[in-house]
Amino acid sequence: MSSYIVTARKWRPQTFMEVIGQEHISRTLINAVKNKRIAHAYLFAGPRGVGKTTTARILAKTLNCLDRQDGEPCNKCDMCKAFLAAQTMDIIEIDGASNRRIEEIRTLRESVKYAPTRGSYKVYIIDEVHMLTTESFNALLKTLEEPPEHTIFIFATTDVHKVPATIISRCQRFDFRRIEIRDIKSLLSKIAAAESISIDDESLTIIAKKADGALRDAQSLFDQVISFCGTDVKADILKEMLNLIDEETYFDLSDAILSTEFKQAFHLTSRIYDNGWNFIDFMNGLIEHFRNILTVIIRKDTKLIEAAEIYHERYLTYKDKFSEGDMLRILTFLNKTLYELKSSQNQRLKLEVSLAQMIGFEKSETITNLINNLGNSPSSFLSAEKKKTEVREEPKEEKPIQLIKPEEPEIKLPPPPPPLPPEERAAIKEETEDKEIEEKPAPSRTGKNITDDWSFFVETVNSERFGIGSHLLRSAVKEVSGKDIIVNVSSEDAEILDQKDKLTFLTQTAEKLYGTGYSFTFNVAKFDELPVPEEHTESAEDIILEDTPLTTALKDILSAREIG
């Protein structure tokens, strides 16, 4: 039988202070034990792999330890040794996912009555407690509120929102947070040194970032890497194993923007495609890359950058090459591109065009200089006009913010046309009054039912609350069940419309128009499946330029003529 033990189990913390990244919780529990302020129920909530179950076991062991050391378990007494060997009957671990029925909870209620065999407390640790059924929670309520003095409950959950409020209110709640990358790297480096494994900083950074704040995930990935690479782990081999996007790809793009090298857009896209990298993952990494550059530009240091140390110096080289305005424009463009890329039929083509467009961005400094140059030099129109009329300006006294009025005989206006006879003016007036003026019809109701009258409902909401109505312009009724209406909208619109105040306003508007009882549910649909709102665009034929003395003079100056 193999004696190999995975890293997550072999290096599991045995004291509160060994728990990584949860110092606020460890310190509170240590003080509670020292001051003998032990609650009858605890709730540990947080993401996976951050130490909830481990902390619960340490607390249970500490409460039954025969020789506590400043609020910590000694790990040497008979009770601690019995717990470490899984031979104690006073600490019971229950999996909430597989013991979720009311029958199991009733059995638990019966066993609670019995006193502990050897220790001071009988501790029940229920993992993934949110998986219990509603009936099981209800059966547990009374026992949880007034358990025997020797009984303590510790609940752990990754989804605290599914735990009833009646359960939460009977517990002391502790929220575990994601573990920072530097803490994960520090622990993995310590484990590697103890296991005689050589691993570079870039590899540690890759593993820590891949774990996404979960130490257990990082330790599992660490084991996988050791199995693949052996005792000498290199970043290049690790990237090949995990098929990760090379960081150099992002630096190649930022350098291409500085040198306006358009061919890099196609080279980088081909590299992503040939390596089988995901285009969405690339865009997310690219956004993080330019976010790192923005922090360097603003702070002039790399303290907020979560990257390997070898890249910190490279990021510092950008601090004087981009401006804050450049980065904000690029990040805005990338976020818009990422949204469009998710619904694109040809992601490679979309990415190539977007990268080429980004490489062609003018720097904010260039745009500012161009505007300043335009502001400091006279326009060609004014220069030409000044040359044509040969206006001589008299010397003026220097006064702050004074406009120089040109001399009157600059522009010779053509004589006005002779007045029409009274008979012709009367005929033109009568003809004008007889013509019907077409007006755009106001939105009208098409039915008494809101589903048949959806356009009118949207127009009404838009006219009263534009901040809400603008998110309904690309909406459509998907399904109706009585007065429960399911509406198709985009993901961004759904996030806004699902807010309580927005739903209240929609319900009130529907009540005014169609009666009470309506409720709205918003379903996220693909962008290309949503209707396109009608827009009125004015064509060139709709624009009529009246003949006035000013327009006539402009035509004469510019030698212009009307077309069509």
Side-chain angles (χ1 to χ4, degrees):
M1 183 176 179
S2 175
S3 60
Y4 171 73
I5 302 176
V6 296
T7 300
R9 291 180 57 197
K10 184 177 181 180
W11 290 85
R12 184 188 294 275
Q14 297 301 326
T15 63
F16 287 117
M17 298 312 296
E18 291 179 2
V19 178
I20 302 297
Q22 312 298 343
E23 289 78 9
H24 60 299
I25 295 175
S26 297
R27 177 54 57 189
T28 303
L29 294 176
I30 288 175
N31 290 337
V33 172
K34 290 168 61 176
N35 298 325
K36 298 182 180 180
R37 299 182 62 87
I38 308 300
H40 64 271
Y42 294 89
L43 176 63
F44 294 166
R48 70 184 188 279
V50 295
K52 300 184 298 297
T53 305
T54 296
T55 304
R57 291 175 177 176
I58 295 173
L59 177 59
K61 181 172 58 175
T62 304
L63 293 175
N64 285 308
C65 179
L66 303 177
D67 185 22
R68 297 174 193 157
Q69 305 292 327
D70 198 25
E72 295 271 24
C74 67
N75 292 317
K76 296 178 180 179
C77 67
D78 292 340
M79 287 300 300
C80 288
K81 290 180 179 180
F83 174 78
L84 295 174
Q87 295 176 350
T88 177
M89 298 180 63
D90 294 336
I91 300 176
I92 302 99
E93 290 194 39
I94 301 173
D95 177 19
S98 56
N99 296 276
R100 60 196 305 264
R101 298 180 303 171
I102 191 171
E103 289 79 5
E104 283 86 359
I105 300 302
R106 285 173 178 167
T107 303
L108 183 148
R109 288 173 55 189
E110 292 298 322
S111 66
V112 164
K113 301 175 184 179
Y114 301 103
T117 57
R118 297 175 59 189
S120 303
Y121 295 94
K122 197 170 188 178
V123 183
Y124 290 88
I125 301 174
I126 303 182
D127 210 356
E128 300 300 334
V129 70
H130 65 271
M131 298 294 290
L132 296 181
T133 63
T134 303
E135 293 78 9
S136 299
F137 276 124
N138 292 335
L140 191 60
L141 280 177
K142 191 62 178 177
T143 302
L144 184 62
E145 185 172 17
E146 297 179 0
E149 293 183 358
H150 57 263
T151 301
I152 293 176
F153 289 96
I154 305 176
F155 302 136
T157 176
T158 55
D159 199 345
V160 71
H161 302 291
K162 294 183 180 179
V163 180
T166 51
I167 296 291
I168 297 176
S169 65
R170 289 165 166 81
C171 305
Q172 281 193 13
R173 174 174 171 176
F174 291 86
D175 288 292
F176 287 67
R177 57 195 178 199
R178 294 185 182 276
I179 302 176
E180 297 183 5
I181 288 181
R182 65 171 179 268
D183 293 332
I184 296 178
K185 289 175 60 177
S186 176
L187 179 62
L188 292 181
S189 179
K190 175 183 176 182
I191 295 173
E195 300 285 346
S196 300
I197 295 171
S198 173
I199 183 170
D200 57 14
D201 181 75
E202 186 177 359
S203 298
L204 290 173
T205 303
I206 292 173
I207 295 173
K209 292 181 70 174
K210 193 77 173 176
D212 193 25
L215 181 58
R216 186 175 61 234
D217 289 7
Q219 291 172 329
S220 298
L221 184 57
F222 178 78
D223 286 340
Q224 185 179 349
V225 168
I226 301 305
S227 299
F228 184 83
C229 302
T231 58
D232 188 13
V233 181
K234 300 295 183 184
D236 294 339
I237 302 176
L238 181 57
K239 291 176 183 177
E240 179 183 350
M241 167 195 164
L242 301 175
N243 195 29
L244 298 178
I245 300 174
D246 190 357
E247 294 280 349
E248 293 294 334
T249 306
Y250 304 128
F251 285 100
D252 290 343
L253 180 60
S254 51
D255 291 338
I257 294 175
L258 293 173
S259 60
T260 320
E261 193 173 356
F262 286 95
K263 65 181 181 181
Q264 278 290 0
F266 302 96
H267 290 167
L268 293 177
T269 308
S270 296
R271 191 191 308 174
I272 297 168
Y273 184 81
D274 294 340
N275 284 284
W277 296 333
N278 185 278
F279 289 110
I280 303 298
D281 291 343
F282 170 76
M283 286 299 299
N284 285 320
L286 194 60
I287 292 173
E288 182 183 2
H289 173 71
F290 282 103
R291 172 263 178 196
N292 292 341
I293 296 178
L294 179 61
T295 63
V296 168
I297 293 172
I298 295 175
R299 294 174 52 90
K300 308 301 181 185
D301 60 42
T302 59
K303 292 182 179 179
L304 296 181
I305 294 179
E306 295 180 343
E309 293 294 334
I310 61 173
Y311 295 120
H312 283 211
E313 290 298 325
R314 294 194 62 179
Y315 277 117
L316 283 174
T317 61
Y318 291 114
K319 65 181 180 181
D320 298 321
K321 295 182 180 179
F322 290 103
S323 67
E324 293 90 337
D326 293 330
M327 288 297 97
L328 293 175
R329 287 169 58 220
I330 290 174
L331 287 170
T332 301
F333 177 79
L334 287 175
N335 280 290
K336 176 176 177 291
T337 302
L338 176 61
Y339 173 73
E340 295 172 349
L341 194 65
K342 293 177 180 178
S343 58
S344 175
Q345 298 297 324
N346 190 337
Q347 291 187 337
R348 178 175 181 175
L349 178 61
K350 173 65 180 176
L351 185 62
E352 284 179 340
V353 174
S354 299
L355 294 184
Q357 185 178 353
M358 189 165 60
I359 290 173
F361 278 173
E362 288 290 344
K363 296 182 67 175
S364 299
E365 181 182 358
T366 306
I367 298 173
T368 303
N369 292 337
L370 179 61
I371 294 174
N372 290 337
N373 291 335
L374 289 174
N376 293 332
S377 62
S379 66
S380 57
F381 171 80
L382 294 178
S383 299
E385 179 58 21
K386 182 176 181 180
K387 182 177 180 181
K388 181 177 180 180
T389 57
E390 295 182 355
V391 177
R392 295 182 179 178
E393 296 182 356
E394 297 295 333
K396 299 289 191 304
E397 296 181 3
E398 292 186 1
K399 296 180 179 180
I401 315 177
Q402 181 176 0
L403 300 176
I404 301 176
K405 184 177 180 181
E407 296 182 4
E408 291 296 334
E410 282 190 1
I411 302 175
K412 295 181 179 181
L413 300 178
L420 295 175
E423 298 81 3
E424 292 186 18
R425 292 202 302 271
I428 293 173
K429 180 178 180 182
E430 182 178 354
E431 181 180 356
T432 303
E433 291 177 351
D434 291 341
K435 290 183 179 179
E436 295 183 359
I437 300 175
E438 293 186 2
E439 295 182 357
K440 183 179 179 181
S444 59
R445 298 180 63 164
T446 58
K448 296 182 179 181
N449 191 298
I450 187 172
T451 57
D452 300 331
D453 208 17
W454 185 250
S455 298
F456 174 76
F457 177 74
V458 172
E459 288 286 348
T460 304
V461 173
N462 196 38
S463 62
E464 296 184 10
R465 290 280 296 274
F466 177 76
I468 301 177
S470 60
H471 295 284
L472 287 171
L473 295 180
R474 294 202 65 169
S475 66
V477 177
K478 176 187 178 184
E479 184 180 340
V480 179
S481 177
K483 290 191 175 183
D484 297 330
I485 303 172
I486 301 177
V487 183
N488 278 342
V489 293
S490 66
S491 59
E492 286 76 10
D493 292 334
E495 184 177 352
I496 299 299
L497 294 170
D498 272 333
Q499 297 176 8
K500 183 177 180 180
D501 59 326
K502 309 296 189 301
L503 291 171
T504 301
F505 178 78
L506 293 175
T507 304
Q508 292 174 349
T509 305
E511 181 179 347
K512 289 193 299 184
L513 297 176
Y514 308 101
T516 60
Y518 285 97
S519 64
F520 296 88
T521 303
F522 296 100
N523 177 63
V524 176
K526 294 183 179 179
F527 191 78
D528 53 1
E529 294 177 354
L530 299 174
V532 180
E534 296 182 0
E535 296 183 359
H536 176 71
T537 55
E538 200 171 35
S539 61
E541 291 78 2
D542 297 332
I543 302 174
I544 301 175
L545 187 64
E546 298 181 358
D547 284 330
T548 63
L550 179 58
T551 57
T552 304
L554 289 173
K555 290 178 184 178
D556 180 57
I557 294 170
L558 300 173
S559 299
R561 64 186 180 86
E562 292 188 17
I563 300 176

